[in-house]
């Protein structure tokens, strides 16, 4: 049994759920996987940089009790913090800037350079620095993992990495933004657009400024992440044809439903005959028999067509911080297993 | 690059599809996985036992050109055949006796004892000898693999083995028998039971005696296989509560559909509070909003509830011999990768 020093950069709902899950799974991790852990670092804008190479009390962290952060930080606080914590694994769960992928890319690069596995729930680094981070991880003998970036804890990336060898994806379609899907579901139940957005904000699934979801940006970045990793085709999200759900009225949604159709924000990527990749995010009016039409609320779905399996669909139901945290935990366990294993 | 001697026991539609897929994927197997292969043995009731340790011409096999089978076979022809072929991998795709799992269990046991990986598309060995074969494989330093036994090539077993570590399944529900699902779909379209069965027989998805499918036996064995492997709870198929779709009329199916319901043959297994497993196969009248209701024709689906992911559904669309063959190919590739890897 090896004890691994874990550092969490970001300590919001997902970070707390991850610590709870680590505690809950401590015995099986030790007994089934030979893995032990301690929380050696926690950092956030509010907390500063807390490092304790011999381990923090995880229960105290969950109660909101934190020791003092590092004093006298250098120009590169992430590196100083990871070194002070003697970090073996960085969980990068800070706030995202999907436009640039920073500062997450810097955090992940630094972790790998410091000899730690780099695990992120941020999709920005995939679309802006996937190949760089993948190659850097290989040079450092560490792993760069990101299962939680698309469809929370549902195993999309690991599925193709380990369970579906020698598969080429020809096309995928999906419902990858849960906020818009929730809004559309509520509009079907009778709400107008503004009230559905407000309700989504009140229960914490839409941001104060909902435009990243509503205008299709979040979905676009996810399409780019899937295409980049699974189809080996780096895509700039800005190059993806995109429209959102703004302008749709509750009356239109309800009229469509009465006729047997559902409006959905659909993500598509397809390999053309010449090998080029075409991707698109936009609203579509789907027949109720379309597999994508059955996804309600915050659930999400991706449907793959491959050269060996004509159709394989994964649906994740009712995700939450614990689901995202499980994706991070699975990455942690898998980072320590032999690469390319089965 | 290592060259592996492959033996196929059974050379029907799936065996031929496997040979075609091996030819199609020869270059990526070599370049991406360092795997080369030759067909060193083919056997069936019709062909006898054909062994060629230096390799048979796969294209000639597909054209139906076979060399002479082994003469003077001993009391244990499988062993003699595997040894003559210097087999590294056995694909066990012979006809199934799901009641006993034989002769597949004997074939797989012999392969492991002869130092070959044992890969099967037969679910009988899972329900009758899973622990024995798993433990024998471990002692022999070989792998016992069976991805194609449930939902063809869809990655169910490998998903939990590699992509979802430290997960406990609480409950699963599924539509696992494609013949009955096809019959029910055709009854919704206006056919009565007898005509739907006859049509399924004509297109080759129902047997001359359809009772194994129609009475729920096939689904029951699949439930037992999933529970045995994924929930570590060996289940005797005979102990599973079972009913089939016989007796259902086309009129009843069509009336249900008009009211927004679909009849489905539903498989369920659930861990009770005391840890015991309850499993059931039976017809249910599902609301159209039930995820299981959306599976039409020969497609199949399984929905998992786990202690970490509240709901994860896998749907396989339009399977065929090539899909089953892909499950066998994936098992072959994965058998050669480090065990417990990611």
């Amino acid at each position: 049994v090896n004890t691994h020093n874990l550092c969490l950069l970001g300590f919001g709902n997902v970070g707390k759920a991850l610590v709870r899950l680590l505690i809950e799974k401590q015995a099986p991790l030790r007994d089934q996987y030979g893995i032990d852990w301690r929380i050696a670092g926690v950092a956030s804008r509010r907390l500063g940089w807390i490092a304790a190479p011999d381990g923090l009390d995880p229960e105290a962290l969950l109660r909101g009790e934190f020791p003092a952060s590092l004093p006298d930080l250098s120009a590169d606080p992430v590196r100083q913090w990871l070194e002070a914590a003697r970090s073996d694994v960085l969980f990068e769960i800070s706030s995202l800037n999907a436009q640039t992928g920073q500062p997450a890319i810097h955090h992940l690069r630094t972790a790998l350079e410091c000899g730690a596995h780099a695990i992120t729930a941020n999709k920005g680094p995939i679309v802006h620095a996937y190949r760089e981070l993948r190659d850097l991880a290989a040079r450092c003998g560490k792993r760069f993992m990101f299962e939680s970036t698309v469809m929370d804890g549902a195993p999309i990336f690991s599925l193709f990495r380990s369970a579906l060898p020698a598969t080429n994806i020809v096309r995928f379609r999906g419902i990858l933004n849960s906020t818009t899907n929730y809004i559309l579901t509520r509009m079907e139940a009778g709400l107008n657009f503004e009230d559905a957005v407000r309700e989504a904000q009140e229960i914490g699934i839409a941001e104060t400024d909902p435009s990243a979801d509503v205008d299709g940006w979040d979905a676009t970045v996810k399409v780019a992440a899937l295409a980049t990793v699974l189809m080996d085709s780096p895509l700039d999200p800005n190059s993806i044809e995109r429209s959102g759900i703004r302008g749709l009225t509750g009356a239109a949604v309800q009229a469509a439903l009465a006729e047997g159709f559902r409006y959905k924000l659909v993500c598509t990527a397809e390999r053309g005959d010449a090998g080029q990749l075409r991707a698109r995010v936009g609203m579509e009016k789907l027949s109720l028999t379309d597999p994508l039409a059955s996804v309600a609320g915050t659930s999400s779905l991706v449907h793959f067509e491959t050269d060996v399996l004509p159709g394989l669909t994964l649906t994740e139901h009712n995700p939450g911080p614990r689901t995202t945290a499980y994706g991070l935990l699975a990455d942690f366990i898998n980072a320590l297993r032999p690469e390319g294993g089965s």
Side-chain angles (χ1 to χ4, degrees), chain A:
Chain A
V1 176
N2 280 317
T3 302
H4 302 269
N5 275 14
L6 311 183
C7 286
L8 281 68
L9 185 32
F11 199 65
N13 287 339
V14 169
K16 284 173 198 139
L18 175 61
V19 171
R20 277 188 213 104
L21 201 51
L22 282 163
I23 294 170
E24 182 184 328
K25 293 286 183 184
Q26 192 150 25
L29 283 183
R30 202 164 31 209
D31 301 342
Q32 292 168 37
Y33 299 93
I35 296 172
D36 209 348
W37 54 268
R38 55 173 92 89
I39 310 287
V42 178
S44 75
R45 231 167 299 181
R46 193 169 66 78
L47 298 172
W49 306 89
I50 298 168
D54 297 328
L56 296 156
D57 175 358
E59 301 283 4
L61 298 178
L62 292 174
R63 286 192 304 268
E65 301 165 16
F66 300 97
S69 62
L70 292 177
D72 303 326
L73 283 170
S74 67
D76 192 351
V78 186
R79 183 178 300 265
Q80 193 179 338
W81 171 65
L82 290 169
E83 287 175 350
R86 286 188 228 119
S87 179
D88 298 307
V89 177
L90 171 68
F91 292 102
E92 212 292 325
I93 40 184
S94 64
S95 305
L96 169 71
N97 182 336
Q99 287 300 316
T100 65
Q102 291 293 10
I105 294 170
H106 174 68
H107 299 158
L108 295 163
R109 194 189 283 139
T110 307
L112 293 168
E113 288 169 357
C114 291
H117 297 294
I119 299 173
T120 187
N122 275 326
K123 52 199 173 300
I126 311 289
V127 295
H128 296 288
Y130 171 63
R131 291 187 171 179
E132 179 210 324
L133 290 167
R134 178 196 64 184
D135 295 346
L136 177 62
R139 282 200 304 280
C140 297
K142 295 291 157 184
R143 302 288 290 274
F144 167 46
M145 311 281 272
F146 40 80
E147 191 57 85
S148 298
T149 57
V150 179
M151 284 177 71
D152 312 283
I156 307 296
F157 296 110
S158 55
L159 184 76
F160 283 91
R161 194 174 63 226
S162 57
L164 291 174
T167 303
N168 297 316
I169 297 172
V170 176
R171 186 166 185 254
F172 69 79
R173 287 174 81 215
I175 296 194
L176 299 174
N177 179 267
S178 53
T179 305
T180 47
N181 204 54
Y182 180 84
I183 291 169
L184 291 171
T185 300
R186 295 300 293 147
M187 287 167 80
E188 286 181 357
L191 270 59
N192 65 31
F193 176 77
E194 291 72 21
D195 290 340
V197 169
R198 196 168 308 120
E199 187 184 285
Q201 289 168 325
E202 279 164 15
I203 62 172
I205 61 170
E207 312 270 328
T208 313
D209 173 3
S211 46
D213 292 319
V214 164
D215 295 330
W217 274 113
D218 174 81
T220 303
V221 175
K222 286 173 176 161
V223 169
L226 289 178
T228 299
V229 177
L230 299 181
M231 299 174 84
D232 198 25
S233 295
L235 270 190
D236 179 350
N238 292 297
S239 75
I240 295 177
E241 188 188 326
R242 174 183 59 80
S243 65
I245 64 165
R246 220 186 274 271
L248 190 66
T249 66
V253 170
Q254 291 142 32
L257 189 63
E259 290 164 16
F261 293 92
R262 284 205 154 112
Y263 281 103
K264 291 289 180 190
L265 186 65
V266 176
C267 303
T268 312
E270 187 166 10
R271 176 91 55 207
D273 291 336
Q276 84 290 10
L277 205 75
R278 281 183 313 230
R280 209 163 57 79
V281 171
M283 206 161 58
E284 293 182 22
K285 194 172 159 183
L286 303 178
S287 147
L288 289 181
T289 58
D290 190 306
L292 274 65
S294 67
V295 185
T298 58
S299 297
S300 55
L301 173 153
V302 62
H303 175 76
F304 293 101
E305 293 173 28
T306 79
D307 64 337
V308 284
L309 299 179
L312 183 69
T313 312
L314 268 93
T315 312
E316 186 186 37
H317 305 263
N318 305 317
R322 180 174 161 91
T323 326
T324 304
Y326 173 70
L328 296 164
L329 177 73
D331 276 347
F332 169 45
I333 298 170
N334 284 331
L336 302 175
R337 299 160 101 181
E339 191 164 5
S342 67

